C-alpha cells in the first residue's frame, strides 16, 4: 500500500513545486520590468562619486537623473541591463525560498517550531548563498546601467559579458563571478535576514482578517514594512557593490574590499 501512495505524493510535491516556481518566476519578471528604471537610477546615483575625480557630478538627484537620461539616452535607456536580472529571477527566487525552508530546520535550536531568530538566521543563510547565483548577473547589469550612451548604440548583454571576460576573466576578485561577491552577500544576506524575520514574526502577531481583501492588505502592509526596514540596513552593502562593480578611474582601483569601501565612502562622503 505504501508503494501505491508514494507516487501520488511525489506527483503532488512536483506539481506544487512547479506551480510555485512558475508563479514566483512570473511575479519576479513583472517586478523587474516595473522596478528596473528605479534600480537603474539608484545605481547611477550610487556610482556617480566615481566621476567626481574629474570634478563632474552628473546628477543632482532622482528627478534630475530621470530627466537627463530621457533627454540624452532615450526612454528605453531606463531598461538598460534588464536582460541579466530577468534571466536570473526565476532560479534566484526558487533558490531563495528553497534554502530558506532548509535553513529553518538548521536554526530551530531544539524548538518544535520556528522562532523570530530562526526566521532571521534562515533568511541570512538564504541571502548569502543566493548571492553566488546573482552576482555574475549583477556585474553585467551594473556595467550596462553605468553606460551613458544612447540606448540605440549601447552594447548588448552578450557584448558586455564578452568584454568583462576578455578584460577581467571569469574567476578572481575582478572576474565575472567574483567581482563584488562579498558585497552582494552582505546586501542579500542582510535584506533576507531582516525581511523574513520581520514578515514571518509579525504576520503571526498582527491579527488575521476574515475578509479576504483585508487579509491581503494585511500581508502586503507587513511585507512593505519589512522590505522598507531591510533596505535601510542593506543599502551600505549595495552602495559598496555598485562602487566595486561600476566604472573606476583608469589605472586606479579606488574601490576594493566591501568593508574598506563602506569605510571610505563614510570618510569621504559622510
Amino acid at each position: 500500500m505504501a508503494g501505491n501512495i508514494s507516487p501520488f505524493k511525489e506527483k503532488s510535491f512536483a506539481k506544487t513545486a512547479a506551480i510555485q516556481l512558475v508563479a514566483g518566476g512570473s511575479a519576479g519578471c513583472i517586478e523587474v520590468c516595473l522596478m528596473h528604471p528605479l534600480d537603474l537610477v539608484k545605481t547611477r546615483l550610487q556610482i556617480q562619486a566615481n566621476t567626481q575625480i574629474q570634478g563632474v557630478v552628473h546628477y543632482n538627484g532622482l528627478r534630475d537623473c530621470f530627466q537627463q537620461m530621457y533627454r540624452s539616452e532615450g526612454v528605453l535607456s531606463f531598461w538598460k541591463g534588464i536582460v541579466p536580472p530577468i534571466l536570473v529571477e526565476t532560479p534566484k527566487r526558487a533558490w531563495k525560498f528553497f534554502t530558506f525552508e532548509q535553513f529553518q530546520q538548521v536554526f530551530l535550536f531544539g524548538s518544535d517550531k520556528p522562532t523570530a531568530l530562526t526566521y532571521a538566521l534562515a533568511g541570512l543563510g538564504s541571502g548569502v548563498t543566493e548571492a553566488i547565483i546573482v552576482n555574475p548577473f549583477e556585474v553585467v547589469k551594473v556595467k550596462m546601467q553605468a553606460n551613458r550612451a544612447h540606448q540605440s548604440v549601447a552594447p548588448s548583454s552578450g557584448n558586455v559579458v564578452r568584454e568583462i571576460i576578455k578584460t577581467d576573466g571569469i574567476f578572481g576578485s575582478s572576474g565575472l563571478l567574483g567581482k563584488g561577491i562579498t558585497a552582494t552577500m552582505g546586501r542579500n544576506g542582510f535584506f533576507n535576514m531582516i525581511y523574513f524575520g520581520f514578515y514571518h514574526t509579525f504576520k503571526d502577531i498582527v491579527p488575521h482578517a476574515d475578509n479576504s481583501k483585508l487579509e491581503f492588505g494585511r500581508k502586503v502592509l507587513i511585507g512593505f514594512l519589512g522590505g522598507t526596514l531591510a533596505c535601510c540596513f542593506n543599502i551600505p552593502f549595495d552602495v559598496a557593490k555598485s562602487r566595486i562593480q561600476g566604472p573606476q578611474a583608469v589605472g586606479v582601483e579606488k574601490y576594493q574590499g566591501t568593508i574598506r569601501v563602506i569605510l571610505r565612502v563614510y570618510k569621504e562622503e559622510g
Side-chain angles (χ1 to χ4, degrees), residues 30-142:
I30 294 172
E31 175 189 333
V32 169
C33 292
L34 291 175
M35 302 304 295
H36 194 77
L38 283 174
D39 183 68
L40 190 150
V41 171
K42 170 188 71 71
T43 301
R44 290 281 180 97
L45 293 174
Q46 286 177 339
I47 66 176
Q48 71 172 359
N50 293 329
T51 63
Q52 292 175 2
I53 299 171
Q54 292 82 24
V56 178
V57 178
H58 280 275
Y59 309 113
N60 295 316
L62 188 70
R63 182 178 178 181
D64 181 55
C65 185
F66 270 110
Q67 290 176 336
Q68 286 199 48
M69 285 187 61
Y70 175 74
R71 286 196 298 264
S72 62
E73 301 174 44
V75 67
L76 293 180
S77 67
F78 295 115
W79 284 270
K80 279 181 178 178
I82 195 172
V83 174
I86 284 181
L87 291 177
V88 76
E89 192 58 37
T90 298
K92 181 192 83 171
R93 288 196 177 231
W95 181 260
K96 172 190 288 190
F97 289 104
F98 172 76
T99 53
F100 177 66
E101 293 297 329
Q102 305 312 308
F103 276 117
Q104 284 185 57
Q105 305 305 314
V106 176
F107 296 117
L108 284 173
F109 301 117
S111 176
D112 14 351
K113 62 180 183 178
T115 62
L117 181 61
T118 300
Y119 292 130
L121 292 179
L124 177 63
S126 71
V128 169
T129 54
E130 173 192 39
I132 299 172
I133 298 174
V134 171
N135 196 67
F137 296 88
E138 286 288 321
V139 173
V140 177
K141 184 195 75 171
V142 170

Side-chain angles (χ1 to χ4, degrees), residues 9-264:
K9 285 186 175 180
E10 290 178 3
K11 184 177 180 181
S12 176
F13 173 79
K15 184 178 180 180
T16 302
I19 291 173
Q20 290 176 340
L21 183 61
V22 172
S26 301
C29 287
I30 294 172
E31 175 189 333
V32 169
C33 292
L34 291 175
M35 302 304 295
H36 194 77
L38 283 174
D39 183 68
L40 190 150
V41 171
K42 170 188 71 71
T43 301
R44 290 281 180 97
L45 293 174
Q46 286 177 339
I47 66 176
Q48 71 172 359
N50 293 329
T51 63
Q52 292 175 2
I53 299 171
Q54 292 82 24
V56 178
V57 178
H58 280 275
Y59 309 113
N60 295 316
L62 188 70
R63 182 178 178 181
D64 181 55
C65 185
F66 270 110
Q67 290 176 336
Q68 286 199 48
M69 285 187 61
Y70 175 74
R71 286 196 298 264
S72 62
E73 301 174 44
V75 67
L76 293 180
S77 67
F78 295 115
W79 284 270
K80 279 181 178 178
I82 195 172
V83 174
I86 284 181
L87 291 177
V88 76
E89 192 58 37
T90 298
K92 181 192 83 171
R93 288 196 177 231
W95 181 260
K96 172 190 288 190
F97 289 104
F98 172 76
T99 53
F100 177 66
E101 293 297 329
Q102 305 312 308
F103 276 117
Q104 284 185 57
Q105 305 305 314
V106 176
F107 296 117
L108 284 173
F109 301 117
S111 176
D112 14 351
K113 62 180 183 178
T115 62
L117 181 61
T118 300
Y119 292 130
L121 292 179
L124 177 63
S126 71
V128 169
T129 54
E130 173 192 39
I132 299 172
I133 298 174
V134 171
N135 196 67
F137 296 88
E138 286 288 321
V139 173
V140 177
K141 184 195 75 171
V142 170
K143 191 170 184 66
M144 294 181 71
Q145 289 180 335
N147 190 305
R148 291 180 170 82
H150 193 277
Q151 177 62 23
S152 60
V153 296
S156 66
S157 299
N159 288 335
V160 171
V161 171
R162 285 191 288 270
E163 180 189 346
I164 293 172
I165 293 176
K166 181 180 178 181
T167 305
D168 303 316
I170 298 177
F171 303 101
S173 59
S174 298
L176 179 64
L177 299 179
K179 192 171 187 179
I181 183 68
T182 55
T184 306
M185 286 179 172
R187 183 194 68 168
N188 289 32
F190 273 91
F191 182 90
N192 285 2
M193 179 180 71
I194 295 169
Y195 177 79
F196 280 122
F198 183 95
Y199 180 81
H200 285 282
T201 300
F202 278 87
K203 80 179 180 65
D204 294 331
I205 294 176
V206 178
H208 291 252
D210 295 330
N211 184 287
S212 60
K213 291 182 179 179
L214 291 177
E215 176 62 12
F216 175 78
R218 181 185 77 94
K219 290 181 178 178
V220 169
L221 179 60
I222 295 172
F224 175 80
L225 293 175
T228 302
L229 181 64
C231 283
C232 295
F233 284 88
N234 86 326
I235 197 67
F237 293 94
D238 194 40
V239 172
K241 182 192 75 68
S242 295
R243 294 287 175 92
I244 294 168
Q245 295 176 344
Q248 301 196 43
V250 178
V252 180
E253 287 289 332
K254 182 178 180 180
Y255 299 109
Q256 289 183 317
T258 302
I259 301 302
R260 285 189 307 227
V261 171
I262 291 174
L263 293 175
R264 182 160 199 160

